[in-house]
């Protein structure tokens, strides 16, 4: 997959039923850190513009995205239980499709039932549990196993 640059923020229509994603910043690739280009967003509740969480989309594939996923998210505790994470992930599927990604991965801690439910509701294919390699950041932070959920995007030939 060839990265052709970021899509301008004004071309990203990232509104769902209850939230919208507001672009905070983009980040260039950093091969030394095994980072691919990424978008970073705030999840904002549409009714009052309150920030309910954060999410990011990492464009492309490498060892870092295999163990860390293409999409990451966190919903702040007072706002959990309202399907904000699932709605954000679905919106990011559209951005990934614009970058011609045939699939995305989401890495989930094997003890994080909430994130597992998000991925299951979105019909991700679960791989694992997988042993995290000792040189990976997640391993260094104390995690030893992960689930990877794979989501084929509509146009992919997967």
């Amino acid at each position: 997959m060839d990265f052709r640059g970021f899509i301008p923020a004004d071309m990203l229509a990232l509104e769902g039923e209850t939230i919208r994603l507001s672009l905070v910043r983009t980040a260039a690739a950093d091969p030394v850190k095994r980072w691919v280009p990424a978008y970073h967003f705030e999840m904002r509740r549409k009714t009052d513009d309150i920030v309910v969480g954060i999410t990011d989309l990492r464009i492309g594939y490498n060892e870092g995205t295999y163990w860390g996923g293409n999409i990451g998210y966190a919903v702040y505790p007072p706002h959990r239980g309202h399907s904000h994470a699932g709605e954000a992930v679905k919106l990011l599927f559209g951005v990934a499709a614009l970058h011609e990604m045939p699939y995305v991965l989401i890495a989930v801690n094997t003890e994080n039932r909430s994130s597992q439910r998000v991925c299951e509701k979105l019909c991700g294919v679960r791989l694992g549990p997988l042993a995290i390699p000792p040189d990976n950041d997640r391993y260094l932070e104390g995690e030893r196993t992960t689930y990877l959920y794979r989501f084929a995007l509509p146009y992919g030939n997967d």
Side-chain angles (χ1 to χ4, degrees):
M1 191 189 86
D2 183 26
F3 181 71
R4 296 193 176 116
F6 293 104
I7 298 164
D10 61 345
M11 293 181 66
L12 296 173
L14 298 174
E15 275 202 22
E17 284 186 40
T18 63
I19 63 164
R20 67 180 173 79
L21 300 184
S22 176
L23 182 64
V24 175
R25 68 184 175 89
T26 57
D30 185 337
V32 172
K33 293 182 180 177
R34 297 185 280 195
W35 292 353
V36 294
Y39 294 90
H40 297 268
F41 299 92
E42 290 177 330
M43 291 181 216
R44 293 183 166 272
R45 192 167 48 204
K46 286 172 58 174
T47 55
D48 55 12
D49 207 37
I50 296 291
V51 177
V52 298
I54 56 173
T55 189
D56 58 56
L57 171 65
R58 296 174 284 279
I59 305 300
Y61 311 103
N62 66 8
E63 185 180 349
T65 58
Y66 183 80
W67 294 107
N70 295 105
I71 294 176
Y73 53 83
V75 176
Y76 301 139
H79 307 288
R80 292 179 181 162
H82 300 283
S83 301
H84 296 317
E87 192 170 344
V89 168
K90 284 194 281 189
L91 292 169
L92 292 179
F93 286 166
V95 180
L98 290 173
H99 281 281
E100 300 179 357
M101 293 175 66
Y103 66 91
V104 295
L105 297 172
I106 297 179
V108 176
N109 183 302
T110 54
E111 297 175 15
N112 186 339
R113 279 298 301 145
S114 295
S115 282
Q116 291 169 38
R117 279 192 300 276
V118 168
C119 291
E120 289 161 4
K121 284 181 183 177
L122 295 172
C123 300
V125 175
R126 187 172 84 180
L127 310 172
L130 304 170
I132 298 171
D135 66 339
N136 185 274
D137 290 343
R138 292 176 67 195
Y139 186 96
L140 300 174
E141 293 167 2
E143 289 186 65
R144 297 298 180 258
T145 58
T146 190
Y147 291 127
L148 282 179
Y149 287 86
R150 190 174 195 276
F151 300 86
L153 296 180
Y155 65 91
N157 295 323
D158 210 64

